Amino acid sequence: MAAKTEKLLQVKNLKKYFNVSRKDVLKAVDGVTFDVYKGETLGLVGESGCGKSTTGRTIIRLYDPTEGEVIFDGQDVGGKLNRNEKKNLSKRMQMIFQDPYASLNPRMMVKDIIAEGIDIHHLAKSPKERIERVYEMLETVGLNREHANRYPHEFSGGQRQRIGIARALAVDPDFIIADEPISALDVSIQAQVVNLMQELQEKQGLTYLFIAHDLSMVKHISDRVGVMYLGNMAELASSDDVYGHPLHPYTQSLLSAIPVADPKIERTRERIILEGDVPSPIDPPSGCRFRTRCPFAMDICAKVRPKWHEAEKNHWVACHLHDEEIKTENV
Ligand SMILES: Nc1ncnc2c1ncn2[C@@H]1O[C@H](COP(=O)(O)OP(=O)(O)OP(=O)(O)O)[C@@H](O)[C@H]1O
Ligand SMILES: [Mg+2]
């Protein structure tokens, strides 16, 4: 696969804090930096609560960023946006949600769910054009026009997710943030939805930020993968590098938790078992956030936040073990 190098999205030092009580601030996303290239799928993984959804929701402006920059197709969309600018953004960026049960309005017919964006952006000149577009979308996602007059509860989980995809596609976006789009589906259905998303990507040149819980889920669809831990990005590289040559101890531990099919290897392979729980994002550890669970933690890890840097070509990591400057200082 040829490397995709044209940047569609640039996220720079993005932060999203929530005031959860009078004195407590929850740092859900605390300074993440990454690019998404045109036409690629960037997988975003990490344990529950590490800030994946908040990252996605802040990029698409369901939340306002606390700090940092979001640049989409060369335009700064992270600052204050007026209604028109928000509307324009929502035409080019769409989101698919985890729970196809909760994300579709049960009182709306499928045709009106799918046409929501068409109506908002006035993309159909007549009712006929509107319904034709709905039919086209239904067929694009593997459903058919007879489904237009039904309600969400009449569909299976996989079909509902197809409706969610049709709704996102109806406005002809460039970029789709898929927030765990297959986690709530039966394993047998997951592959079908992933295949559909890949087909659509190829046909329509879509770019995906694909959020998932674990590395095994995004392996086959991601060009590159980013691994988050407690509001930070730990590592980001091509899928081959993340799976074959992970640098961050956290990524290594996530990978070692995935069972290997070959029983011989499974019995003898080395595992990194993490001790303890993920600390609270209200009072995260000083320095490196992962240090309290890291088997390789050094003194400096408590004192200095590791730099997010390109340790190897196109391989980003935030870990003192891989920071050349630190290594030379310590000799
Ligand atoms: N609206 C909110 N108000 C306050 N805290 C929030 C809000 N949304 C998320 N959080 C907190 O921010 C942190 C990150 O949550 P987020 O939902 O982004 O994680 P996630 O990685 O998507 O997790 P999951 O895998 O469970 O979906 C969590 O501690 C969560 O409790
Ligand atoms: Mg989430």
Side-chain angles (χ1 to χ4, degrees):
M1 206 186 308
K4 292 150 188 153
T5 52
E6 199 182 335
K7 290 173 189 172
L8 180 62
L9 179 78
Q10 293 166 269
V11 175
K12 297 182 184 177
N13 194 29
L14 186 69
K15 297 185 183 178
K16 179 62 195 174
Y17 294 174
F18 295 107
N19 293 317
V20 284
S21 71
R22 232 175 37 189
K23 58 177 189 8
D24 290 324
V25 175
L26 187 151
K27 298 172 175 171
V29 175
D30 202 14
V32 299
T33 297
F34 61 94
D35 298 328
V36 184
Y37 300 126
K38 261 183 199 166
E40 81 164 340
T41 297
L42 177 67
L44 192 60
V45 301
E47 283 162 286
S48 187
C50 71
K52 306 178 296 291
S53 295
T54 305
T55 301
R57 287 166 169 264
T58 309
I59 291 169
I60 205 165
R61 294 305 293 272
L62 288 172
Y63 299 143
D64 289 333
T66 303
E67 210 184 298
E69 279 178 77
V70 180
I71 297 164
F72 182 68
D73 214 5
Q75 215 183 352
D76 181 358
V77 295
K80 233 181 150 30
L81 298 181
N82 62 33
R83 251 183 62 198
N84 230 355
E85 287 166 328
K86 267 207 168 145
K87 206 171 125 184
N88 284 340
L89 189 65
S90 79
K91 179 167 179 327
R92 300 201 55 195
M93 249 190 222
Q94 283 283 314
M95 194 146 177
I96 301 171
F97 297 91
Q98 168 173 4
D99 188 346
Y101 298 87
S103 62
L104 305 177
N105 186 337
R107 283 180 291 276
M108 277 167 77
M109 272 193 223
V110 165
K111 63 178 176 195
D112 296 318
I113 291 173
I114 293 176
E116 241 179 343
I118 300 175
D119 297 340
I120 291 170
H121 298 286
H122 309 293
L123 299 177
K125 286 186 210 79
S126 63
K128 185 168 176 293
E129 204 179 307
R130 178 181 188 263
I131 196 71
E132 285 301 330
R133 178 87 179 144
V134 168
Y135 291 155
E136 185 194 333
M137 285 302 117
L138 281 168
E139 280 158 12
T140 303
V141 299
L143 297 170
N144 58 59
R145 49 178 68 203
E146 282 78 56
H147 291 132
N149 288 325
R150 299 199 195 156
Y151 290 91
H153 72 88
E154 298 176 62
F155 295 88
S156 67
Q159 287 175 319
R160 284 185 224 204
Q161 198 53 291
R162 287 174 192 267
I163 297 168
I165 295 170
R167 170 176 61 184
L169 288 180
V171 298
D172 198 15
D174 308 288
F175 181 53
I176 291 187
I177 298 176
D179 190 357
E180 305 212 30
I182 56 170
S183 305
L185 304 178
D186 288 348
V187 175
S188 58
I189 309 294
Q190 289 181 339
Q192 294 175 13
V193 172
V194 165
N195 289 346
L196 170 68
M197 288 183 65
Q198 278 184 309
E199 251 171 59
L200 294 169
Q201 177 170 48
E202 273 164 37
K203 272 193 214 141
Q204 314 197 8
L206 292 163
T207 304
Y208 290 143
L209 181 66
F210 194 106
I211 298 172
H213 244 83
D214 62 81
L215 280 164
S216 54
M217 219 170 241
V218 292
K219 183 167 186 179
H220 298 293
I221 52 161
S222 304
D223 296 274
R224 297 186 305 142
V225 174
V227 179
M228 284 186 76
Y229 184 82
L230 202 57
N232 289 169
M233 194 70 89
E235 179 161 8
L236 194 157
S238 69
S239 295
D240 287 348
D241 279 347
V242 167
Y243 293 93
H245 173 53
L247 296 179
H248 200 289
Y250 180 57
T251 314
Q252 292 167 356
S253 76
L254 288 180
L255 282 169
S256 80
I258 302 175
V260 177
D262 183 337
K264 242 202 210 136
I265 301 175
E266 176 64 25
R267 243 178 287 127
T268 54
R269 76 199 172 95
E270 244 181 275
R271 280 198 189 80
I272 303 174
I273 313 256
L274 295 183
E275 308 270 330
D277 296 323
V278 182
S280 163
I282 295 174
D283 185 21
S286 62
C288 173
R289 294 207 169 163
F290 184 58
R291 70 171 165 87
T292 53
R293 301 172 79 200
C294 182
F296 310 108
M298 309 174 283
D299 286 347
I300 188 168
C301 304
K303 294 183 194 128
V304 181
R305 180 171 167 175
K307 249 196 339 246
W308 179 238
H309 69 288
E310 199 171 0
E312 294 172 7
K313 195 166 163 29
N314 300 321
H315 196 147
W316 291 74
V317 68
C319 176
H320 290 308
L321 290 170
H322 298 285
D323 192 330
E324 284 303 326
E325 283 169 36
I326 302 273
K327 269 195 227 157
T328 27
E329 271 170 34
N330 278 356
V331 196

